[in-house]
Amino acid sequence: MHDDSVTDFDADETLSALPQTGEREVEKTLRPRHLAEFVGQPRVREQLELVLESARRRGVPPDHVLLSGPPGLGKTSLAMIIAAELDAAIRITSGPALERAGDLAAMLSNLAEGDVLFIDEIHRIARPAEEMLYLAMEDFRVDVVVGKGPGATSIPLEIAPFTLVGATTRSGALTGPLRDRFGFTGQMEFYADDELDQVVRRASAILGIEIDPAASAEIARRSRGTPRISNRLLRRVRDYAEVRADGRITLDVTRAALEVYDVDELGLDRLDRAVLRALVQSFGGGPVGVSTLAVAVGEEPTTVEEVCEPYLVRAGMLARTPRGRVATAAAWEHLGLRPPPDYGRSDQSTLFD
Ligand SMILES: Nc1ncnc2c1ncn2[C@@H]1O[C@H](COP(=O)(O)OP(=O)(O)OP(=O)(O)O)[C@@H](O)[C@H]1O
Ligand SMILES: [Mg+2]
């Protein structure tokens, strides 16, 4: 689903927000099926409830929905929930899979009335398919071009009224016309610790794991605001509890396990730490452009920007400024370093405003 480069980097990463090989199966078991089961995101949930309920009352498919936010926050889960709440079938595809407009036309013409069409990574859709989508979203119609050159004709084809659910980790990369055609955009935020605590307890119950409240709170706190990570840490801590203890997850077991897996106090992953270290050690704390920073850690700029930075910003470690990325004093301290004496008062301070 993601770039190979991205998946490769994270292949052995306990902390990555991206799904790991073979993880999709477990994720399916743990996926909430209904809005009421979906923890957190109160704003998006309430907005969605209204959109869905009003459509249900009017007996029409709801407006097209765009879900935007960093990996692992529940976009795919929500898309499935939308279909389940509407009692509708869901067809699933992704931006990169829709390289030719013909692929999309085939998909669209197979939709039944009220179906949900889920396009993951919709910002990566190819241009011709995107243009076809405009008309489909607006008028439930596609123009199929037959023939080539001056003799080419376009045949309008009606499609059944449907609801498009798009997911993106980069809403900024969507073109204006595409974004405008969504009636509702749900902006997913990182989860609060107490919400992730509920996610961990729910997953424990489903997987039959015995866990102490202090332990689930600890896992939640170190999960980078991301349910995918809290579910994964839970499974790693369970492994430890089974092999090195009596199977029950206590706070001590949790701490010892997270130590083994090299999960730091804040739950930052290897790439997060590499970015901070490069910023602080190679560039004196910044400001430095994101592409330069990406080269320094051997990653694609988009990975640094979409996977790594959002959480570093939210954790107060990194600031995005017009002149580039800047490490906060907290970042130096987190790496066990002391910022220069006037740090944050000279060059960088004006940037934090
Ligand atoms: N609100 C939630 N409540 C409980 N579990 C959740 C919630 N959100 C996500 N999860 C768990 O996290 C896993 C990952 O969620 P999901 O696949 O929906 O994320 P995503 O935003 O689509 O990620 P990506 O951008 O990588 O596609 C799910 O399998 C589910 O177990
Ligand atoms: Mg997804």
Side-chain angles (χ1 to χ4, degrees):
M1 290 290 222
H2 292 272
D3 288 337
D4 286 341
S5 56
V6 173
T7 325
D8 283 347
F9 177 89
D10 292 297
D12 60 345
E13 286 284 302
T14 305
L15 277 168
S16 169
L18 300 176
Q20 295 175 345
T21 330
E23 197 167 54
R24 302 219 177 256
E25 278 310 306
V26 197
E27 287 204 339
K28 258 190 236 160
T29 351
L30 294 180
R31 217 165 234 146
R33 311 268 158 203
H34 293 280
L35 261 190
E37 265 183 276
F38 192 86
V39 177
Q41 309 292 336
R43 209 164 44 95
V44 173
R45 222 176 44 212
E46 182 177 12
Q47 292 164 342
L48 255 185
E49 251 160 36
L50 291 171
V51 171
L52 297 181
E53 180 57 27
S54 115
R56 226 173 353 226
R57 289 191 191 184
R58 283 178 293 127
V60 295
D63 264 356
H64 306 301
V65 174
L66 180 66
L67 301 171
S68 143
L73 297 194
K75 298 180 293 297
T76 300
S77 305
L78 260 190
M80 309 229 176
I81 287 174
I82 290 172
E85 294 283 337
L86 292 168
D87 235 335
I90 182 166
R91 318 266 159 214
I92 302 174
T93 183
S94 74
L98 298 172
E99 215 174 300
R100 292 172 310 135
D103 300 332
L104 179 61
M107 223 132 188
L108 289 168
S109 53
N110 275 323
L111 293 174
E113 181 161 354
D115 279 0
V116 169
L117 175 64
F118 176 50
I119 306 185
D120 209 355
E121 294 185 87
I122 195 166
H123 60 278
R124 292 178 61 194
I125 194 169
R127 202 55 207 237
E130 173 171 340
E131 276 163 17
M132 175 176 282
L133 204 51
Y134 296 163
L135 202 58
M137 291 171 80
E138 227 162 48
D139 293 340
F140 301 120
R141 195 157 63 82
V142 290
D143 280 338
V144 180
V145 181
V146 182
K148 279 198 173 117
T153 45
S154 100
I155 304 171
L157 194 74
E158 285 224 5
I159 52 181
F162 69 104
T163 297
L164 177 67
V165 179
T168 180
T169 45
R170 272 188 98 191
S171 59
L174 250 62
T175 63
L178 183 54
R179 213 171 337 167
D180 292 345
R181 282 171 172 78
F182 287 97
F184 168 71
T185 299
Q187 179 64 55
M188 317 274 288
E189 311 283 351
F190 285 110
Y191 289 68
D193 291 354
D194 62 318
E195 292 167 343
L196 289 179
D197 187 23
Q198 289 177 56
V199 171
V200 173
R201 279 192 267 171
R202 175 177 175 274
S204 306
I206 293 173
L207 300 173
I209 299 173
E210 264 191 288
I211 186 166
D212 290 351
S216 68
E218 183 70 7
I219 292 177
R221 197 175 65 73
R222 298 215 221 167
S223 296
R224 230 179 158 272
T226 307
R228 171 175 291 138
I229 297 178
S230 53
N231 284 343
R232 182 183 305 143
L233 291 185
L234 171 67
R235 297 197 303 276
R236 294 295 75 81
V237 174
R238 177 218 37 209
D239 296 346
Y240 184 98
E242 278 174 1
V243 177
R244 300 265 172 94
D246 63 359
R248 180 178 186 85
I249 300 183
T250 61
L251 182 57
D252 284 345
V253 161
T254 303
R255 288 199 174 130
L258 294 181
E259 174 100 37
V260 170
Y261 292 114
D262 202 16
V263 176
D264 83 10
E265 270 297 305
L266 290 176
L268 299 190
D269 70 13
R270 190 158 59 96
L271 181 58
D272 293 330
R273 286 192 296 245
V275 165
L276 288 184
R277 210 169 295 122
L279 193 51
V280 162
Q281 289 177 338
S282 312
F283 303 106
V288 60
V290 68
S291 26
T292 311
L293 197 53
V295 169
V297 297
E299 262 303 328
E300 293 293 321
T302 51
T303 308
V304 172
E305 223 172 341
E306 293 161 36
V307 179
C308 176
E309 283 188 349
Y311 190 72
L312 289 176
V313 169
R314 131 117 187 213
M317 300 274 145
L318 180 138
R320 288 173 166 153
T321 76
R323 285 167 53 206
R325 275 49 175 178
V326 177
T328 63
W332 292 75
E333 279 149 26
H334 185 68
L335 296 173
L337 300 167
R338 201 185 301 205
D342 59 346
Y343 194 77
R345 252 171 269 133
S346 59
D347 197 23
Q348 286 88 0
S349 73
T350 51
L351 295 167
F352 291 141
D353 300 335

